[in-house]
Amino acid sequence: MTAPFASRLTRSPLPHDPAPAAEIAAQFSDLGPELAGLLSATAGCSPFLRGLMLREAGWLRPALSLAPETALSDVLTPLGDLPLADLGAGLRIAKRRVALLTALADLGGVWPLETVTGALTALADRATDLSLKRLVADEIRRGKLPGATPEDAETAGGMVALAMGKMGAGELNYSSDIDLVILFDETRYPGAEQEARAALIRVTRKMTALLSDLTGEGYVFRTDLRLRPDAAVTPVCLSMAAAESYYESVGRTWERAAYIKARPCAGDLAAGEKFLKTLTPFVWRKHLDFAAIQDAHDMRLRIRDHRRLHGPVVLEGHNMKLGVGGIREIEFFTQTRQLIAGGRDPSLRDRTTVGGLRALSAAGWLPGEVAEDLIAQYRAHREVEHRLQMVNDAQTHDLPVTPEGVDRIAHFMGEPPESFRAGLRARLLRVEELTEGFFAPGEAEDGPELSESARQIVDGWSHYPALRSDRAVSIFTRLRPMILKSLRRAGNPDEALVAFDGFLAGLPAGVQIFALFDANPSLVDLIVDIAATSPMLARYLARNAGVLDAVIGGSFFAPWPGTAALTAELRQQLGDLPDYERKLDTARRWMKEWHFRVGVHHLRGLIDAFEAGKLYADLAEAVVAGIWPAVSAEFARKHGPAPGRGAVVLGMGSLGAGRLNAGSDLDLIVIHDAQGQEQSEGPRPLAARPYFARLTQALVTALTAPMAEGRLYEVDMRLRPSGRQGPVATALSSFRSYQLEEAWTWEHLALTRARPLAGDASLAAEVEAFRREVLAVKGQGQKVRSDVAEMRARLQAAKPATAPWDAKNGPGRLMDVELLAETCALRAGDPARRVEQQLRAGVKGGQLSQSDETVLLEAYRLCWRLQAGTRLLTDGALDPDRLGEGGCAFLLRELEDASPGALTARLGRVVEAAAARVTALLGTGDDGNGETGRAAD
C-alpha cells in the first residue's frame, strides 16, 4: 500500500498528559486535524516520542506527506553512501527517524504489528551490515587481515553476523537490543587463522561500540553477543568450525530453540547460510523430540524463579514478556512444538511466531482455533510491550508499578483504564490456559496393586539402561502407574508384563521415548498391545523406538500411498542430503517406519495377511528403486557413469511376485548392458564387467550394511546365473545365452517370478520381453515335469516341516504349492508371477483341474496367512504350545479358527489334501537325473 500516511489512520491513543499534548497540537497544527491529533495524543503519553517530534520536526513534516513505506526507504537507502567516519552519526539519526515513523504508524493503525517489527528489523539489518563491512574494509586497508583484498570487503572477509531471537525472526520490539552471533569462515585464511581471528575480533568490538555507544546523537541498537557458544570463555568472534564443534558436542535445548530464528543478517550471507545448513541436524532432530517439552518447562521455571515471577496475575508490575501468560509463553509453546516435529517436517521451520503457529496448525500439530487464538493474544501482547517501551525508550517489559502508570499505558493503547485492565487480565489468563497444560507435567497417579511376581519384575526396572539418568527416572515415575494400569487391562496381564519388561530391558536410553509417551499417552496402550501380542515386535521397537514418530506424525492410519508415491518420497528425502552415509541411514529410518506401520496394521486387524504381503513388497520395491539412484550416483562419482544402458535390478522369488512377509529377505539379480562400451569414463575408470560387479556389491552393501539405524534387508543373490559360482552381475548377452542354452529347470522356474525393480527403462523392457520368450520355449516337454518332481523330493528331504504350525516347509505347504504354481506357469509359457494366476494358467493349459486348483489354493491361502502371522510374532518356527495368549489370539483371529487344536487339525487336513494333488500332478521324482542339487541349497 502506497497511500499517504494520513489517509491510512485507523486509531489513535488517548492523551494522558494534557500539557505536552496541547504543545504538540499547536506545534503541528499545519498538518491537519488527523495527523495533528495523532501526534498530540502520542506526545501526551510518551515524553520520549514528544522529544523526537520536536527534534526531528524538519524531517517529520515532509515524511508524513509520503506513504510510510517510502519514508522508511528514504531513511535507509542513503546510509549506504556514508563513509566509516560519518556512519555512526548517520545511523543514529536514522534510528531516531525510524523510531518515530514506526511508532506513529503503529499508534495510528497504519501498519500492522508485523510491518512495524519488520521496519525496526530492516534498520537493524542495514546498520549491522554497513558497520561490519566498513570496519572489515578498514582492517583490509590497513593490512591487518592477512591475504584479504579490497574486494573481500563486500563479503566482510568471510565474516557473518547471525541475527538471533526477535531480530532473526524480523520481530524486533520497539526498544529492543539485538542478539548477534559473529562468526568467520576459517577456510578463507589457511595458515593465518589466528591473525584473521584477532583482526575480526577487533572488528566485532568496534562494531558493537559503533552501534551501542550513547553519543550526543543517541545510540543505534544495544548489542548483545552472549548467545554465542560458551560465551563466558569464547571470544566475541569465533570460527565456524569451532562453533559447529561446540553445538555438535555440548549444544543444549535452549540453543536449539534459539537457532530456530537464526538468520544471516550482515557480512558474508552465503557463508552464514552454509553454516546454518550444517547445524540442521543439531537444531532439527531426526526423531520427534518430546524431551524438549521437559527442557522448556524447566527453563520456564528457572526464569520465573530468577525473576520472582510466580504467583497470581497482578497487573501492576507484571512482566509482559516473562510473566504468567506472557509473550515468552507463546514463543516457548511454538518453538518447543517446532523442535519436536521440525526435524521430520521442514514446513514447520518458520522463524516467526505467527508463521510457526500457522505452520503447526496446517500440519495437524495444533488445532486451528488454538493457533489463531494464540496469534491474537501474541499480537495484543506485543502492542502492549511496544507501548511500555515507547514511553521513555526503555528496554522494559514490566507494566508500571502504580495504578496511574497503568492508566498511562491504557490511554496509550487508546482504551479507558477499566476496559484495558479487564481485557489484559483476560488475555494473560487465556494464554496461561492454552499453554500451561502443554508444559507442566501432571502428578503421578497411584498405580494398581501388584502380585509378588509382578512386583519383582517392576522393581527390576530401576536397573535397566533406559532408567540410568535422573531425568529418565523423573519422567518414567509419572508414566509407571499408567503403564501398569494398561498392562492390567491386557488379556493375560502377567504375560503382557513379561513382554513389556523385555521391551523396557532392550531400550538403550529412555528420556526420548518416555517423553514421547508422556506427551502421547495413547502410545502406551499401543506398546502394551504390541508387547502382549508380539514380543518380537516389541523387541524390535526397543531397538528402533524412533519408528513411533510415524504413529503421531498424522498419517499412520492414512491410506497406503502405493509403490510409485513411496519411491518418489524416498528419492526426494535422499536427494536433499549431500552425504552418502546420511542417505543410507535416512533410507533405513524411513523404511523402518513404513515397515512398522504395516506390522501394526496387520496386528490390529486393519489389513489381512494378503494385503500385508503386498504392502511389504511395495515397500521393498520402493527401497530398491529409491536407493538405486543414490548408489549409482555415488559409484559414478568415483568411476564415472555406467557404460551403455547401465543395469537393471530384478526382484526374484516372493519379491518378484509382490508378496513378502515381515521377515522376508530380498532375492535380487542384476543384468547390465554396456552396449560395446569397454569401460567407464571417470576419475578412476573401470572396465564394464568389474564396473557392474562392484556397482552390484555397492547396492548389496547399501541394503545390508549395519549402520547407526540398522540395516535395510538381507539380500540373497543365489538365483543369478550359475548361482554362487556366477558373477554377481550378468551381461544381457550372457544372460540370454545362459537361459537359452545352459540354465537348469529350477532357474527357468525362478524366472517365472522375475520382475524389474530399478534401472534403465528400455533395458528393463527388453529383459521382461526376453523373460516371456524363455518361458514360451522352455516349458515344453516332459523333462520339466520330471525335473520338478526330483527337485521337490530333494527339497522335502532337505527342508522338512519342523513344527506342527510350520507353514512353509513340507508337503502341501507354501514351498510345495509355489513350486507347482511356477511349474504351471513355465509349462504354459504364461508370464504370471503370483501363485493364484500361475495356478489359473495351469487350469487353462490343461495341467490342473478346477478341483486341483481349489484344493491347492485352500492350502496356499491358509499357509500364507499362518506364515505371515508367524513372521510377525517370531523369527523362527512357531510352536503352538509355547505361543503366548495374545499371539495365539491374533493367529486364531487371522485364520478364523476357534482354538489351537482346531487350527492344527484343519492345517493337517488341508496340507495333506494339497500334497496328494501335487504328488499326483508331478510324480515322486525318484527317477531324476540329479540336476536340482543347487535348488535345495
Side-chain angles (χ1 to χ4, degrees):
M1 186 180 292
T2 58
F5 198 103
S7 67
R8 292 159 61 177
L9 292 174
T10 61
R11 65 187 183 188
S12 177
L14 302 173
H16 184 72
D17 293 329
E23 175 194 12
I24 293 298
Q27 181 86 5
F28 290 93
S29 60
D30 57 305
L31 295 181
E34 293 86 359
L35 284 175
L38 172 65
L39 269 59
S40 170
T42 299
C45 294
S46 168
F48 168 69
L49 291 176
R50 170 186 166 276
L52 287 186
M53 292 175 202
L54 295 174
R55 186 169 187 177
E56 294 292 341
W59 167 83
L60 182 59
R61 282 186 168 85
L64 290 179
S65 69
L66 305 171
E69 295 81 6
T70 304
L72 177 66
S73 177
D74 287 350
V75 172
L76 298 182
T77 302
L79 295 173
D81 298 327
L82 295 176
L84 179 59
D86 299 331
L87 187 61
L91 289 175
R92 282 159 174 77
I93 294 169
K95 171 61 180 294
R96 293 200 302 267
R97 293 174 178 177
V98 172
L100 183 54
L101 178 68
T102 55
L104 294 174
D106 186 356
L107 294 164
V110 175
W111 280 347
L113 173 69
E114 286 79 9
T115 307
V116 170
T117 59
L120 296 168
T121 305
L123 173 64
D125 285 355
R126 185 77 165 146
T128 307
D129 188 54
L130 288 172
S131 300
L132 195 64
K133 287 178 177 175
R134 293 284 194 280
L135 289 164
V136 169
D138 189 56
E139 290 290 314
I140 294 173
R141 181 184 60 78
R142 296 189 298 116
K144 299 296 186 180
L145 199 57
T149 66
E151 290 74 23
D152 290 328
E154 281 304 306
T155 56
M159 186 180 188
V160 64
L162 300 180
M164 309 294 285
K166 287 186 169 61
M167 183 178 177
E171 298 174 338
L172 280 182
N173 58 44
Y174 190 75
S175 186
S176 183
D177 58 5
I178 57 175
D179 293 303
L180 301 173
V181 171
I182 313 296
L183 305 170
F184 73 96
D185 180 1
E186 73 287 348
T187 64
R188 297 275 291 269
Y189 303 97
E193 183 180 329
Q194 298 300 326
E195 295 90 336
R197 179 188 291 109
L200 298 178
I201 287 173
R202 281 196 302 274
V203 168
T204 304
R205 288 174 174 155
K206 290 177 181 178
M207 181 195 71
T208 302
L210 185 62
L211 295 175
S212 303
D213 285 356
L214 184 62
T215 71
E217 297 289 353
Y219 70 101
V220 190
F221 286 100
R222 292 175 291 269
T223 305
D224 192 337
L225 304 179
R226 290 175 296 174
L227 288 183
R228 69 185 185 274
D230 207 0
V233 297
T234 56
V236 290
C237 175
L238 67 162
S239 71
M240 292 178 179
E244 183 180 354
S245 175
Y246 167 84
Y247 291 123
E248 286 182 348
S249 58
V250 296
R252 290 157 290 183
T253 298
W254 72 263
E255 289 169 309
R256 292 175 57 211
Y259 270 91
I260 291 177
K261 297 180 181 292
R263 172 179 59 86
C265 70
D268 192 338
L269 303 185
E273 292 288 2
K274 183 178 178 182
F275 172 76
L276 289 182
K277 193 169 184 179
T278 66
L279 288 194
T280 298
F282 163 67
V283 181
W284 305 109
R285 300 289 169 81
K286 58 191 175 183
H287 297 308
L288 294 178
D289 187 15
F290 282 92
I293 298 176
Q294 185 70 41
D295 288 339
H297 177 63
D298 293 343
M299 196 184 313
R300 291 163 70 243
L301 294 182
R302 286 196 298 272
I303 291 171
R304 289 185 182 178
D305 289 342
H306 178 68
R307 298 292 187 97
R308 298 179 181 177
L309 297 174
H310 293 286
V313 173
V314 176
L315 290 187
E316 281 75 13
H318 188 79
N319 189 298
M320 288 298 300
K321 179 180 179 180
L322 302 176
V324 173
I327 294 167
R328 184 56 58 83
E329 301 289 87
I330 302 173
E331 292 175 337
F332 270 23
F333 179 87
T334 307
Q335 291 168 13
T336 304
R337 286 178 179 268
Q338 287 176 294
L339 286 179
I340 288 169
R344 295 172 54 84
D345 185 355
S347 73
L348 303 180
R349 302 175 191 179
D350 193 297
R351 291 187 177 103
T352 68
T353 302
V354 170
L357 285 166
R358 290 207 166 123
L360 288 164
S361 173
W365 287 96
L366 193 62
E369 61 274 15
V370 172
E372 293 304 318
D373 197 346
L374 285 171
I375 288 169
Q377 309 306 331
Y378 173 76
R379 286 174 169 157
H381 279 10
R382 290 298 305 271
E383 289 198 347
V384 173
E385 175 189 52
H386 283 187
R387 305 304 179 271
L388 292 172
Q389 295 174 353
M390 287 176 186
V391 173
N392 285 306
D393 188 32
Q395 176 63 358
T396 182
H397 306 277
D398 292 334
L399 287 165
V401 296
T402 66
E404 192 276 336
V406 175
D407 290 350
R408 176 185 293 272
I409 302 303
H411 290 142
F412 217 173
M413 292 290 295
E415 294 185 61
E418 296 77 12
S419 64
F420 170 74
R421 286 174 174 274
L424 179 56
R425 177 183 291 277
R427 289 194 296 273
L428 291 168
L429 295 177
R430 179 60 176 160
V431 170
E432 182 184 30
E433 177 187 352
L434 290 172
T435 61
E436 188 68 16
F438 173 67
F439 290 112
E443 296 297 321
E445 306 174 21
D446 293 330
E449 292 293 326
L450 299 176
S451 66
E452 182 57 34
S453 60
R455 170 63 61 193
Q456 290 178 359
I457 292 172
V458 172
D459 287 346
W461 289 351
S462 61
H463 303 294
Y464 289 164
L467 287 156
R468 61 189 162 203
S469 74
D470 292 342
R471 191 170 172 208
V473 171
S474 174
I475 303 172
F476 190 74
T477 299
R478 295 196 302 271
L479 287 172
R480 186 168 63 181
M482 176 172 53
I483 291 170
L484 293 174
K485 288 180 179 179
S486 184
L487 289 167
R488 177 67 64 87
R489 293 191 294 269
N492 186 327
D494 291 337
E495 182 182 283
L497 177 61
V498 171
F500 182 83
D501 178 68
F503 162 76
L504 194 61
L507 285 175
V511 170
Q512 279 288 351
I513 195 166
F514 295 159
L516 185 71
F517 291 163
D518 199 25
N520 301 272
S522 62
L523 284 182
V524 172
D525 290 334
L526 175 63
I527 295 298
V528 169
D529 189 15
I530 290 171
T533 308
S534 174
M536 187 184 78
L537 192 56
R539 289 194 296 273
Y540 172 85
L541 263 179
R543 297 190 302 270
N544 303 282
V547 299
L548 287 172
D549 293 357
V551 180
I552 52 179
S555 61
F556 191 76
F557 295 103
W560 184 256
T563 307
L566 286 169
T567 303
E569 179 183 312
L570 178 57
R571 285 181 175 175
Q572 180 181 359
Q573 289 200 20
L574 302 188
D576 293 338
L577 300 172
D579 179 72
Y580 182 62
E581 186 169 328
R582 283 177 61 193
K583 289 179 191 285
L584 299 187
D585 256 335
T586 297
R588 281 153 171 74
R589 186 167 63 252
W590 180 88
M591 173 269 191
K592 286 180 177 181
E593 288 184 358
W594 285 103
H595 198 274
F596 175 68
R597 167 182 155 145
V598 177
V600 171
H601 282 217
H602 188 194
L603 201 66
R604 291 197 152 187
L606 301 175
I607 57 176
D608 66 11
F610 286 93
E611 188 172 359
K614 178 184 181 301
L615 303 191
Y616 283 129
D618 282 356
L619 177 59
E621 180 178 349
V623 168
V624 174
I627 208 169
W628 173 251
V631 173
S632 300
E634 176 67 11
F635 198 78
R637 186 178 63 81
K638 302 173 184 176
H639 304 291
R645 288 190 288 175
V648 292
V649 183
L650 300 186
M652 308 293 286
S654 297
L655 175 59
R659 186 171 288 157
L660 299 178
N661 61 54
S664 291
D665 59 9
L666 306 186
D667 291 303
L668 302 175
I669 66 173
V670 175
I671 309 296
H672 62 85
D673 183 17
Q675 292 184 311
Q677 186 176 338
E678 293 184 359
Q679 68 176 24
S680 64
E681 297 178 358
R684 287 177 281 168
L686 290 172
R689 181 171 177 173
Y691 185 102
F692 289 110
R694 290 173 60 179
L695 175 60
T696 301
Q697 292 289 6
L699 172 64
V700 173
T701 299
L703 293 169
T704 63
M707 301 180 66
E709 297 286 343
R711 69 178 78 233
L712 285 166
Y713 293 97
E714 295 290 349
V715 172
D716 189 339
M717 301 198 73
R718 288 178 294 172
L719 292 180
R720 67 186 186 269
S722 300
R724 284 197 180 99
Q725 286 72 43
V728 292
T730 307
L732 177 61
S733 57
S734 300
F735 185 68
R736 283 180 175 276
S737 61
Y738 181 85
Q739 289 291 342
L740 293 173
E741 299 169 12
E742 301 178 48
W744 294 1
T745 297
W746 74 265
E747 293 174 295
H748 295 143
L749 292 175
L751 210 58
T752 65
R753 305 213 280 179
R755 181 165 57 94
L757 304 179
D760 181 83
S762 67
L763 181 55
E766 191 169 336
V767 170
E768 172 59 15
F770 175 66
R771 181 186 83 94
R772 293 175 180 238
E773 177 188 335
V774 172
L775 298 184
V777 301
K778 288 296 182 178
Q780 309 305 312
Q782 288 299 310
K783 186 174 186 299
V784 170
R785 184 172 177 271
S786 61
D787 284 351
V788 173
E790 181 182 354
M791 187 188 312
R792 179 185 183 227
R794 288 177 176 271
L795 284 170
Q796 290 182 6
K799 296 184 177 181
T802 57
W805 285 2
D806 189 336
K808 183 176 180 180
N809 300 304
R813 301 176 197 238
L814 280 180
M815 286 186 65
D816 207 23
V817 177
E818 288 173 347
L819 182 63
L820 179 63
E822 291 169 4
T823 304
C824 290
L826 178 60
R827 293 181 66 190
D830 193 293
R833 296 182 177 92
R834 286 196 175 179
V835 167
E836 295 89 341
Q837 287 78 18
Q838 290 179 337
L839 291 177
R840 173 50 42 176
V843 173
K844 290 179 180 179
Q847 303 170 54
L848 305 181
S849 67
Q850 288 191 349
S851 173
D852 293 332
E853 181 187 31
T854 299
V855 170
L856 293 168
L857 282 178
E858 183 182 7
Y860 174 75
R861 287 168 176 159
L862 177 65
C863 288
W864 175 258
R865 288 192 178 97
L866 180 58
Q867 175 72 356
T870 295
R871 293 310 303 271
L872 194 59
L873 301 180
T874 179
D875 53 5
L878 191 64
D879 184 346
D881 294 332
R882 302 180 63 184
L883 183 63
E885 185 174 311
C888 187
F890 161 69
L891 283 179
L892 293 178
R893 183 201 72 208
E894 183 71 15
L895 294 157
E896 301 178 343
D897 273 293
S899 68
L903 173 56
T904 301
R906 179 160 72 106
L907 181 64
R909 289 194 307 271
V910 168
V911 299
E912 183 179 358
R917 298 294 177 115
V918 177
T919 299
L921 292 163
L922 293 180
T924 62
D926 293 337
D927 57 347
N929 58 18
E931 68 145 60
T932 55
R934 279 184 296 167
D937 188 3

